[in-house]
């Protein structure tokens, strides 16, 4: 039903459930359109997945599968570190987390990460206020102050983006790459091509942000390292949190 038709009838109870990937602003916008059109406010309800107990995100999803085998010493690339929960989770899973390259372009989340790093004494983390991409440039960015912040054509601010290949120090042998970068996964993998082919690290890459990623990401990864074994796991009872893993048998 088109919004125009709904506004003409004004006879339904309307339930708004539009907070996928943290975009809670969508709920606010839909509610505003209805109220501005004269829709009765007492007939508008909002459904927040997080408040209703629906599983959304578990930081262990990137590191807990039984086919993940840890080395004595690990170096993690954390693309889209948000609040450092992924890096903290990996620290619980491996014996020696030597170093973490933590990328976060959202300025609010970046400051929060610095606070978490200080509170937890996480000295192994190297915070990088930039997004991961296939070149070094500046792109438009939509601030969400949550896990849904993302690169966007009409974002509020501009943020720097860099490649993983150019950021990693030559002496660091990367063993693990986690990417949850809200649709920039393919470009981030392209920017990590040299690192992936050189070190063949374990990969945990989000697979749900774009429909085409279900095909393009596995094909790209297998093209870089044909001996990778790929796994796909879904970690929630909503459409989000599908992860592609690549490991050397």
């Amino acid at each position: 039903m088109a919004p125009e038709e709904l506004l003409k009838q004004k006879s339904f109870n309307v339930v708004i459930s539009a907070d996928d990937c943290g975009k809670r602003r969508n709920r606010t916008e839909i509610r505003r359109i209805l109220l501005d059109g004269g829709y009765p406010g007492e007939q508008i309800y909002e459904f927040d997945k997080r408040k209703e107990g629906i599983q959304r995100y578990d930081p262990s999803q990137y590191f807990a599968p039984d086919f993940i085998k840890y080395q004595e010493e690990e170096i993690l690339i954390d693309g889209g570190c948000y609040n450092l929960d992924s890096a903290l989770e990996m620290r619980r899973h491996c014996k020696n987390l030597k170093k973490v390259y933590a990328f976060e372009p959202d300025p609010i989340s970046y400051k929060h990460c610095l606070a978490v790093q200080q509170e937890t004494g996480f000295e192994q983390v190297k915070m990088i206020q930039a997004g991961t991409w296939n070149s070094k440039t500046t792109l438009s960015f939509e601030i969400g102050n949550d896990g849904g912040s993302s690169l966007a054509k009409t974002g509020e601010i501009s943020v720097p983006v860099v490649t993983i290949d150019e950021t990693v120090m030559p002496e660091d042998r990367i063993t693990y790459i986690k990417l949850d970068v809200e649709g920039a996964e393919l470009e981030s993998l392209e920017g990590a091509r040299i690192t992936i082919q050189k070190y063949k690290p374990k990969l945990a890459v989000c697979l749900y942000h774009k429909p085409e990623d279900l095909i393009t990401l596995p094909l790209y990864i297998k093209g870089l390292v044909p001996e990778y074994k790929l796994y796909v796991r879904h970690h929630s009872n909503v459409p989000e949190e599908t992860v592609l893993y690549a490991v050397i048998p």
Side-chain angles (χ1 to χ4, degrees):
M1 180 183 295
E4 294 79 10
E5 185 179 350
L6 181 64
L7 289 170
K8 286 179 182 178
Q9 297 192 34
K10 298 186 176 65
S11 59
F12 295 98
N13 288 324
V14 178
V15 180
I16 305 173
S17 176
D19 64 337
D20 288 350
C21 295
K23 305 266 189 252
R24 294 183 298 279
R25 69 187 66 184
N26 294 340
R27 295 208 314 269
T28 302
E29 178 68 9
I30 292 170
R31 184 180 181 86
R32 185 191 62 77
I33 291 172
L34 293 174
L35 292 175
D36 286 353
Y39 211 89
E42 65 273 14
Q43 293 173 218
I44 303 173
Y45 302 88
E46 294 188 40
F47 177 77
D48 191 326
K49 293 177 182 177
R50 290 160 301 172
K51 292 181 181 178
E52 299 300 330
I54 290 181
Q55 177 187 348
R56 289 188 56 80
Y57 168 73
D58 177 6
S60 69
Q61 66 192 33
Y62 304 113
F63 311 109
D66 55 5
F67 49 81
I68 299 294
K69 307 300 179 185
Y70 287 96
Q71 302 178 23
E72 288 296 322
E73 185 176 275
E74 298 274 352
I75 298 181
L76 170 68
I77 298 289
D78 188 357
C81 63
Y82 175 41
N83 59 6
L84 279 187
D85 55 352
S86 294
L88 288 166
E89 184 67 25
M90 183 169 175
R91 187 167 69 170
R92 287 190 282 270
H93 282 277
C94 66
K95 294 180 180 178
N96 181 13
L97 184 53
K98 180 181 178 181
K99 189 173 185 177
V100 178
Y101 287 89
F103 295 84
E104 181 50 62
D106 188 311
I108 300 175
S109 295
Y110 177 80
K111 290 180 181 178
H112 179 64
C113 286
L114 293 177
V116 171
Q117 181 183 17
Q118 185 174 7
E119 291 171 5
T120 58
F122 207 163
E123 298 178 354
Q124 299 96 324
V125 173
K126 175 182 174 64
M127 285 299 308
I128 301 164
Q129 191 173 1
T132 52
W133 197 246
N134 56 13
S135 63
K136 185 176 183 179
T137 184
T138 301
L139 297 175
S140 180
F141 188 79
E142 183 178 285
I143 300 177
N145 190 23
D146 55 30
S149 299
S150 63
L151 297 170
K153 292 182 179 179
T154 57
E156 301 99 321
I157 64 171
S158 295
V159 297
V161 291
V162 296
T163 71
I164 290 172
D165 286 338
E166 70 182 347
T167 305
V168 170
M169 300 297 291
E171 65 271 17
D172 287 336
R173 183 180 182 85
I174 304 302
T175 64
Y176 215 119
I177 297 178
K178 165 252 172 180
L179 293 174
D180 185 355
V181 287
E182 303 302 316
E185 281 78 12
L186 179 59
E187 291 82 1
S188 299
L189 288 168
E190 291 171 344
R193 177 182 58 83
I194 297 172
T195 300
I196 293 172
Q197 290 183 321
K198 182 177 181 180
Y199 298 122
K200 299 179 177 59
K202 296 176 283 291
L203 306 179
V205 182
C206 282
L207 198 60
Y208 63 91
H209 292 119
K210 295 178 179 178
E212 61 268 28
D213 284 350
L214 287 165
I215 295 175
T216 57
L217 298 187
L219 286 177
Y220 183 77
I221 289 170
K222 287 290 280 188
L224 292 181
V225 182
E227 58 265 41
Y228 266 138
K229 184 173 178 61
L230 304 182
Y231 298 84
V232 174
R233 295 289 185 274
H234 187 68
H235 296 276
S236 76
N237 51 11
V238 292
E240 299 91 9
E241 311 313 330
T242 307
V243 182
L244 169 68
Y245 307 88
V247 299
I248 298 296

